[in-house]
């Protein structure tokens, strides 16, 4: 068995309870979902915040509250999304790292995102990378296509990123790389030798692409940000249910999900 770090992406920025009533959106629901995901085998929770209306927010007070609630329940590591939501200005999103989560996402390029636009301007991305480096917040480099990898490597060449680099290869977003083995292997082949990586499989191909990533030696992520369905026609009843299934798959292919302490070592978190 080799180690595998499992991340649960609990909420995301787009789905609502109308899409799946089990989606956690309030601070208490997110904290309870984080604990259940941890107990099911996740070492990390990827967190998007919602306001009282259920919309994505970059409110640092909400971030502090959610992080405090999670910490009071379990030792799972927190990866805060700086992607937040498509309608939230970059300048508000970047302020979230000031609450010093163990990790935060760093989306390196602007792009079309479904029917919306995901704005990550080059000067803002460099500023955010530099602030994360100064605060000791580990960037989760989200790579939605091959060119994004080159931009991330450029940030590394400028000395803005701490090693080992940690990549999430996102497959299946409309506007990014398709959920195919070819697009995955094209990106994996070009990662630095010491890079740590996982697949984020969006939508229908979630199960297949995540499993292929694990089989190729990557870590793994699942959760209701990435898929609201356990399988076609069957909505997920919880994030923990998705994590349980992924843990079963990991073990079946000789990958053992690790706890937060070991994940901290593997990912070189401060
Ligand atoms: N769904 C997007 C807006 C992140 O968490 O940083 C991208 C996103 C990335 O959620
Ligand atoms: Zn996210």
């Amino acid at each position: 068995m080799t180690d595998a770090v499992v991340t649960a992406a609990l909420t995301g920025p787009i789905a609502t309870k109308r899409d799946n009533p089990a989606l956690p959106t309030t601070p208490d629901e997110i904290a309870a979902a984080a604990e259940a995901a941890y107990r099911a085998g996740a070492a990390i929770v990827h967190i998007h915040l919602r306001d009282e209306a259920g919309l994505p927010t970059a409110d640092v007070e909400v971030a502090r509250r959610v992080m405090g609630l999670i910490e009071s329940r379990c030792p799972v590591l927190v990866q805060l999304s700086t992607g937040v939501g498509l309608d939230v200005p970059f300048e508000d999103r970047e302020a979230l790292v000031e609450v010093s989560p163990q990790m935060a996402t760093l989306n390196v390029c602007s792009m079309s995102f479904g029917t919306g636009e995901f704005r990550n301007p080059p000067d803002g991305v460099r500023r955010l990378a530099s602030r994360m480096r100064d605060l000791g917040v580990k960037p989760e480099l989200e790579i939605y296509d091959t060119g994004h990898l080159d931009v991330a490597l450029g940030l590394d060449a400028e000395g803005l990123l701490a090693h080992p680099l940690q990549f999430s290869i996102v497959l299946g977003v409309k506007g990014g790389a398709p959920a195919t083995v070819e697009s995955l292997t094209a990106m994996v082949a070009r990662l630095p030798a010491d890079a740590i990586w996982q697949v984020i499989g969006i939508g229908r191909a979630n199960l297949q692409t995540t499993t292929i990533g694990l089989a190729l030696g990557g870590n793994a992520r699942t959760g209701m940000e990435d898929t609201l369905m356990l399988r076609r026609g069957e909505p997920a009843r919880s994030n923990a249910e998705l994590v349980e299934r992924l843990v079963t798959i990991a073990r079946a292919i000789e990958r053992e999900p690790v706890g937060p302490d070991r994940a901290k070592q593997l990912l070189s978190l401060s």
Side-chain angles (χ1 to χ4, degrees):
M1 290 260 191
T2 54
D3 292 336
V5 179
V6 171
T7 296
L10 305 174
T11 303
I14 293 167
T16 69
K17 284 190 194 295
R18 277 195 299 281
D19 302 309
N20 184 326
L23 188 79
T25 55
T26 68
D28 286 317
E29 287 171 352
I30 290 170
E35 183 183 1
Y38 162 71
R39 298 206 180 284
I44 301 172
V45 285
H46 169 87
I47 298 292
H48 285 255
L49 309 162
R50 301 291 181 98
D51 64 17
E52 284 180 1
L55 296 172
T57 179
D59 185 329
V60 291
E61 289 314 316
V62 178
R64 284 203 181 93
R65 179 159 158 65
V66 169
M67 284 171 59
L69 286 170
I70 293 172
E71 201 183 336
S72 70
R73 282 174 166 268
C74 65
V76 75
L77 303 170
V78 172
Q79 179 189 100
L80 208 48
S81 167
T82 63
V84 183
L86 299 179
D87 296 327
V88 182
F90 186 88
E91 294 70 21
D92 296 349
R93 291 160 38 203
E94 65 183 312
L96 276 173
V97 294
E98 302 303 324
V99 305
S100 289
Q102 279 120 343
M103 275 178 276
T105 56
L106 184 63
N107 297 279
V108 297
C109 287
S110 295
M111 61 188 288
S112 294
F113 201 104
T115 55
E117 187 182 355
F118 191 25
R119 193 175 153 269
N120 298 292
D123 57 342
V125 170
R126 291 178 68 254
R127 188 171 63 236
L128 178 54
S130 158
R131 188 66 185 143
M132 289 170 83
R133 184 195 52 192
D134 294 348
L135 290 169
V137 177
K138 182 82 180 174
E140 173 77 16
L141 295 157
E142 299 222 352
I143 302 299
Y144 296 77
D145 217 329
T146 49
H148 296 199
L149 174 54
D150 295 289
V151 170
L153 296 177
L155 295 172
D156 183 40
E158 285 185 61
L160 290 168
L161 304 173
H163 274 243
L165 303 185
Q166 198 189 332
F167 291 93
S168 286
I169 299 172
V170 189
L171 302 175
V173 169
K174 205 169 158 208
T180 62
V181 174
E182 289 76 11
S183 55
L184 174 60
T185 51
M187 287 188 262
V188 170
R190 297 183 54 233
L191 297 178
D194 66 342
I196 295 164
W197 62 277
Q198 67 181 0
V199 169
I200 298 179
I202 301 297
R204 263 191 200 161
N206 171 268
L207 180 59
Q208 289 75 14
T209 51
T210 308
T211 304
I212 292 165
L214 264 174
L216 290 176
N219 290 319
R221 165 174 141 163
T222 189
M224 296 178 79
E225 173 167 352
D226 302 344
T227 178
L228 294 168
M229 310 296 286
L230 190 63
R231 55 181 66 84
R232 201 169 288 192
E234 188 179 340
R237 283 175 289 261
S238 65
N239 277 284
E241 185 177 41
L242 291 165
V243 173
E244 271 162 27
R245 178 175 61 181
L246 189 55
V247 165
T248 303
I249 291 168
R251 291 194 171 126
I253 57 173
E254 303 283 309
R255 302 292 307 279
E256 183 58 30
V258 297
D261 285 344
R262 178 72 181 136
K264 233 171 154 171
Q265 275 178 347
L266 291 170
L267 306 179
S268 301
L269 305 183
S270 53

